[in-house]
Amino acid sequence: MSTDGTALYDQPGPKALARHRLYGIAATLVLAGIVAWFVYKMFDTGQFTAEKWNAFTYAGIQELLLRGLGNTLRAFAWAAVLSLVFGAVFAAGRLSDHRLVRWVSTLVVEFFRAMPVLVMIFFIFIAMKVEPRIALIAGLTLYNGSVLAEVFRAGVHAVPRGQSEAAYALGMRKTQVMAHVLIPQGVRTMLPAIISQLVVALKDTSLGYLISYEEFLYAGKQIATNLDYSLPFIPVVIVIAPIYIGLCMLLSGLAKWLEQRGRRSRRTAA
Amino acid sequence: MNVLFDNWDTYWEGFLGTLKLTGVSAALALVLGVLVAACRVSPVAPMRMFGAVWVNVLRNTPLTLLFFAVVLGLPRFGIVLPFFVFAVLALGCYTSAFICEAVRAGINTVPTGQGEAARSLGMTFGQTLGLIVLPQAFRSVIPPIGSTLIALAKNSAIAGSFSVVELLGTYRTLSELGFNIVWTFVWIAVGYLIITLSISAVFAYLEKHWEVAR
């Protein structure tokens, strides 16, 4: 990073390099100290004792966790597909030639974007009295769908105007211009943003925990609050967090890769 | 309408709770975010690595999981703090990752030539940073920080489920008292709209105020 130049500093000389190395060692020591303190605290409070980890050796507990993970992924899959559909419909609405359709879609999209997703989930869960799974998926769909509608709209607008002008000049109708010219080109630029939004949806499936949907975190809580296993909170976090974070990082990595690939291919094409 | 006026105190308390939570967490997130951004652009490799790990881990952590770990996990270490402080820690750390990325992107938009010119005029590192780079980065950083803080205000709703007094949590009191649940939620929604729209208005003003013709 420092090699490709920044406005902040020049390429360091030998003296500066030595100084940086010194700072580096100091920073490493401080960080190692913090980690060591955490590890010490864990030993100190007996987080690595066998009884705290015993729970994970039971097949029932492992199944509970796997079922939770399955529910998380299922909710995510539904929410992802539905919000893509929702986004496509309302993006089309916002790009419509009819003023009324445009206004209604704008209102819907702006409202759901401004609302905390949890308020919607709670509203659907409590006021409309539906089961947790549906409430979670519906809430996630409304919020992420609205954000995706804006992403789609921005992606279509990002295609150079000459493209649609040329297509209209060839006598295409609006639907044809959209389907054959604007969307195929727009998708390439918006794909990273779409995937990043899906990461948000994946992260937010954990909100199901708050309305007692049996997803991954909820399964973790059931284990963590069990007196028989001497309340293994920290072990549960140690088991669950890497899986959650790993899943989200995989998706984020995909978004980043697509972005870099898109940038490179455009450069070679030009 | 009645639901609002009959329970004005409950709503007001919740509204203030959300404001306070958002404000304090925003302050923590801004400070932490700028510090981590400084790490990420520093010439010292271990600090850069620390910044990268901080940002990538926190950005990919579900906030509910973070709340779970902080509110229910830290007491296991013997760290017992008020729920409000726990919530601020979780929200502040989570948001700091997004602030850091916004600040870093802002610093990277400043052309290299600006720094080179400043240094060839004999400016020190501090002068280059304070007089040349940061003022230019600041302008391009305002809009993304605004949207990050709006997201923070919305995310603060999660704290209500972890024993912190805030706006969304008021529905529990009101539904126990038997008020119409739909209207309860309508006024909660209005409260959040007021907060998010105010933040976006403030940042729109800031953006305009610091705008320069280039």
Side-chain angles (χ1 to χ4, degrees):
Chain A
M1 210 200 107
S2 60
T3 47
D4 51 31
T6 130
L8 289 174
Y9 42 82
D10 288 316
Q11 286 294 317
K15 260 188 185 166
L17 270 180
R19 205 167 56 228
H20 291 167
R21 215 170 293 132
L22 197 69
Y23 292 155
I25 292 167
T28 315
L29 283 179
V30 171
L31 290 176
I34 294 173
V35 172
W37 181 79
F38 255 103
V39 174
Y40 164 75
K41 265 290 185 192
M42 283 202 220
F43 273 110
D44 193 38
T45 53
Q47 303 300 338
F48 292 129
T49 52
E51 59 167 350
K52 290 252 184 207
W53 290 83
N54 222 353
F56 295 102
T57 59
Y58 297 120
I61 294 288
Q62 290 163 5
E63 273 164 25
L64 180 74
L65 279 175
L66 281 181
R67 211 162 43 235
L69 187 58
N71 279 337
T72 288
L73 292 178
R74 202 168 305 137
F76 166 64
W78 275 107
V81 171
L82 289 177
S83 47
L84 285 172
V85 173
F86 184 97
V89 168
F90 279 87
R94 290 204 69 174
L95 293 166
S96 164
D97 288 333
H98 304 286
R99 200 179 301 156
L100 190 67
V101 178
R102 215 163 52 222
W103 282 353
V104 170
S105 333
T106 307
L107 194 70
V108 169
V109 167
E110 290 299 329
F111 176 77
F112 286 123
R113 264 182 358 134
M115 255 315 97
V117 63
L118 195 58
V119 171
M120 286 179 270
I121 293 176
F122 271 37
F123 178 78
I124 298 169
F125 178 57
I126 292 159
M128 294 163 73
K129 296 198 173 45
V130 291
E131 58 172 306
R133 188 168 59 99
I134 309 287
L136 177 66
I137 294 173
L140 290 179
T141 300
L142 289 177
Y143 176 70
N144 293 298
S146 305
V147 178
L148 283 177
E150 284 299 279
V151 171
F152 292 158
R153 198 175 64 105
V156 168
H157 275 313
V159 178
R161 247 222 344 250
Q163 296 284 334
S164 63
E165 282 169 354
Y168 280 121
L170 288 172
M172 286 181 164
R173 277 180 286 109
K174 192 180 175 193
T175 320
Q176 289 175 311
V177 175
M178 276 287 165
H180 296 300
V181 179
L182 296 182
I183 292 174
Q185 295 186 67
V187 162
R188 285 180 63 190
T189 48
M190 46 193 182
L191 210 48
I194 294 173
I195 309 260
S196 310
Q197 194 54 40
L198 292 185
V199 177
V200 176
L202 176 57
K203 287 199 293 183
D204 283 351
T205 54
S206 65
L207 292 173
Y209 164 77
L210 303 177
I211 54 169
S212 63
Y213 170 55
E214 284 107 350
E215 47 82 69
F216 200 37
L217 187 58
Y218 189 81
K221 191 201 107 177
Q222 282 180 316
I223 302 166
T225 51
N226 197 325
L227 268 177
D228 292 343
Y229 310 128
S230 70
L231 303 169
F233 264 105
I234 307 290
V236 162
V237 171
I238 293 176
V239 169
I240 280 185
I243 298 178
Y244 256 125
I245 297 172
L247 283 175
C248 297
M249 271 186 177
L250 275 180
L251 259 185
S252 305
L254 178 65
K256 209 168 181 180
W257 179 73
L258 283 170
E259 199 181 339
Q260 273 159 3
R261 210 186 58 148
R263 210 181 292 151
R264 197 173 58 227
S265 66
R266 210 175 310 138
R267 202 179 294 151
T268 48
Chain B
M1 236 1 171
N2 273 341
V3 179
L4 180 64
F5 289 122
D6 288 352
N7 301 288
W8 180 258
D9 288 343
T10 316
Y11 271 122
W12 184 239
E13 203 188 343
F15 186 76
L16 284 185
T18 293
L19 272 188
K20 209 168 88 177
L21 193 57
T22 308
V24 180
S25 312
L28 176 66
L30 285 171
V31 171
L32 267 181
V34 170
L35 284 180
V36 178
C39 284
R40 284 209 77 173
V41 299
S42 83
V44 184
M47 286 168 88
R48 271 208 308 277
M49 223 151 66
F50 162 73
V53 169
W54 177 271
V55 167
N56 281 321
V57 167
L58 280 173
R59 270 205 309 188
N60 288 304
T61 308
L63 187 53
T64 326
L65 173 67
L66 195 60
F67 262 100
F68 182 81
V70 168
V71 176
L72 303 171
L74 279 189
R76 309 278 138 185
F77 283 173
I79 303 173
V80 183
L81 297 167
F83 283 117
F84 181 79
V85 180
F86 277 143
V88 166
L89 273 179
L91 278 171
C93 289
Y94 179 78
T95 312
S96 76
F98 296 89
I99 300 270
C100 164
E101 283 307 270
V103 172
R104 188 173 73 106
I107 289 177
N108 283 344
T109 57
V110 178
T112 321
Q114 296 283 333
E116 284 167 358
R119 279 190 297 275
S120 51
L121 288 174
M123 287 187 172
T124 62
F125 176 75
Q127 284 173 320
T128 313
L129 189 68
L131 296 174
I132 308 295
V133 176
L134 284 188
Q136 296 184 53
F138 178 65
R139 277 176 211 122
S140 58
V141 153
I142 294 174
I145 287 197
S147 45
T148 307
L149 292 188
I150 290 174
L152 167 66
K154 294 195 285 179
N155 283 334
S156 72
I158 296 176
S161 301
F162 289 92
S163 318
V164 178
V165 177
E166 55 80 58
L167 191 52
L168 179 58
T170 54
Y171 90 86
R172 261 184 225 106
T173 325
L174 299 192
S175 71
E176 266 169 32
L177 291 171
F179 284 96
N180 184 330
I181 197 76
V182 174
W183 280 104
T184 306
F185 270 96
V186 167
W187 291 116
I188 288 175
V190 169
Y192 276 109
L193 282 182
I194 291 173
I195 294 176
T196 52
L197 292 180
S198 320
I199 298 177
S200 81
V202 166
F203 275 85
Y205 169 78
L206 283 179
E207 201 185 337
K208 203 158 190 176
H209 183 80
W210 292 100
E211 191 178 39
V212 277
R214 263 196 252 189

